[in-house]
Amino acid sequence: MKAAQLFGPGDLRVVDIPMPVPGPEDVLLRVARFAPYGTDVGTFLNRGGRYGSNYPFGIGADFSGTVEAIGKDVRNVAVGDRVSALAMDHCGACRNCRRGLTNLCLDSARLNAPRQVCCQTHTLVRANKLARLPKGVTFDDAAMLSGLVTVMNGLEMLDPAIDETVGIVGAGAMGWSAIAAARAMGRSMIVLGGARKRAQIARDLGADRLLEITAYDDDLASRLKADVPGGLPCVIETTATDWGLKQAFAIACLGGRLALLGGSAAPATGWDLVARQLTVHGVRAGHHQEMVLDLIAAGRIDLKPTITHRFSLDDSPRAFALLTGADPEAVGRVMIEIDPAA
Ligand SMILES: [Zn+2]
């Protein structure tokens, strides 16, 4: 079968590899769509060396596809089902899994299991992390599911009241997901970040207000606080950068809640948290697959307008070249049509 594999940082090649065989709890999927986002770009570039050293390896986690074969113990899906998978494994039996918090599985074997890869014609996935796609959810929709699941987890923890405006830092794949999810919850929002095409996509998705970034390290928080002196009660940081963390902590009001999707040094000491009584939530992906699929099926979330470019599997190296190129503000979501006929 055909697969895109990394042979070094930035060196993606389409090669032939053996077709995997499902174990008792696995499912063999024919991949339909793969929508790369920040994590995949990090893997592609191997930023900071944190993504891998044992080249070559496959890439991609956010995908949709069709069940082609199932292991002997699989009961929840059948051959021919259209599905999407979460990135992380879970055991289904520990205290957190039993409460539905599958993203917080306590089983160390599952915690350290390698993620599936999907920039290839077929992939193996553990059956318990698959969700069947409801009618009305396309392969394009489902290939962008994991970002929505993550931001929905963050928004659920922030729990914005109906009169509380949500601050969203970042206007990329995760930021657009946050805008669409906040919109579906009926909350107003202010977005910090993005320019040109990226800012336009954010506005089209329903951002009530957007402060465009005009230069590297732009201090958008000061601009926001000129208009909203007290700051905002709920903030979701989607860029996973030091810049984004700085903006997020700066715009939170007294008693504010923050949800963080990544980043390194938080720009707040323990005393800062105490003096402003901030609540900070780390967001470790999410477990909201069915909820988000229902919102898409009902037409309340639609990320398809964020797609600006489409590539075939053979052209996937060009897709990553575009995503890491000189003009990111001109690029929306990139869809790799692994199976163009699907
Ligand atoms: Zn578990």
Side-chain angles (χ1 to χ4, degrees):
M1 67 175 209
K2 213 188 271 186
Q5 294 218 313
L6 277 165
F7 283 75
D11 181 6
L12 189 67
R13 303 178 205 168
V14 179
V15 296
D16 270 315
I17 62 169
M19 180 76 74
V21 178
E25 296 177 18
D26 296 331
V27 171
L28 178 69
L29 298 165
R30 193 167 72 250
V31 180
R33 298 285 187 277
F34 161 44
Y37 66 122
T39 301
D40 304 306
V41 170
T43 308
F44 175 74
L45 297 173
N46 203 10
R47 277 186 191 135
R50 67 180 275 232
Y51 292 94
S53 54
N54 203 10
Y55 291 104
F57 54 80
I59 191 168
D62 207 358
F63 77 102
S64 55
T66 306
V67 175
E68 189 145 299
I70 61 174
K72 67 178 178 58
D73 296 337
V74 173
R75 301 283 177 271
N76 60 323
V77 292
V79 171
D81 282 350
R82 300 182 322 124
V83 294
S84 179
L86 294 177
M88 291 186 294
D89 276 11
H90 65 274
C91 72
C94 73
R95 190 177 70 244
N96 282 348
C97 281
R98 287 199 313 273
R99 290 161 64 205
L101 306 173
T102 54
N103 57 318
L104 304 178
C105 178
L106 298 167
D107 182 329
S108 56
R110 299 272 65 84
L111 196 65
N112 299 317
R115 297 178 177 204
Q116 73 264 6
V117 291
C118 66
C119 195
Q120 50 194 45
T121 56
H122 295 76
T123 191
L124 271 192
V125 174
R126 271 176 72 89
N128 70 351
K129 59 200 242 184
L130 292 172
R132 281 203 301 264
L133 307 186
K135 198 164 165 259
V137 175
T138 68
F139 283 130
D140 280 353
D141 292 316
M144 297 184 280
L145 189 67
S146 75
L148 286 165
V149 165
T150 300
V151 298
M152 195 57 87
N153 188 21
L155 287 170
E156 190 177 88
M157 285 189 275
L158 293 176
D159 194 20
I162 195 76
D163 62 345
E164 288 184 319
T165 296
V166 179
I168 297 172
V169 180
M174 298 305 275
W176 298 323
S177 298
I179 294 165
R183 180 89 174 170
M185 292 171 81
R187 299 299 180 264
S188 64
M189 70 203 92
I190 301 179
V191 178
L192 281 74
R196 298 171 29 234
K197 184 68 188 173
R198 289 182 162 229
Q200 190 56 51
I201 291 172
R203 290 191 183 96
D204 291 347
L205 284 172
D208 300 289
R209 193 165 161 219
L210 183 139
L211 300 177
E212 278 199 29
I213 193 158
T214 55
Y216 176 75
D217 215 22
D218 207 349
D219 182 12
L220 298 181
S222 294
R223 276 168 56 198
L224 176 99
K225 292 193 81 177
D227 288 350
V228 190
L232 298 171
C234 299
V235 182
I236 182 163
E237 202 299 302
T238 71
T239 70
T241 63
D242 290 347
W243 171 83
L245 286 174
K246 204 166 120 189
Q247 310 307 309
F249 277 87
I251 63 173
C253 70
L254 280 185
R257 291 100 75 196
L258 297 102
L260 308 181
L261 271 49
S264 47
T269 66
W271 283 118
D272 294 329
L273 302 185
V274 169
R276 294 164 61 198
Q277 199 168 306
L278 299 178
T279 304
V280 181
H281 298 277
V283 184
R284 178 183 161 82
H287 54 88
H288 305 64
Q289 251 177 324
E290 314 286 345
M291 178 207 279
V292 172
L293 284 169
D294 286 347
L295 286 167
I296 296 171
R300 292 176 59 193
I301 289 182
D302 184 5
L303 288 181
K304 290 189 291 297
T306 67
I307 302 167
T308 56
H309 297 79
R310 290 178 181 274
F311 293 91
S312 65
L313 173 56
D314 284 335
D315 278 340
S316 52
R318 280 181 50 222
F320 277 88
L322 177 75
L323 283 164
T324 54
D327 195 9
E329 296 301 330
V331 182
R333 287 303 295 258
V334 169
M335 191 61 69
I336 301 180
E337 298 182 332
I338 306 282
D339 180 0

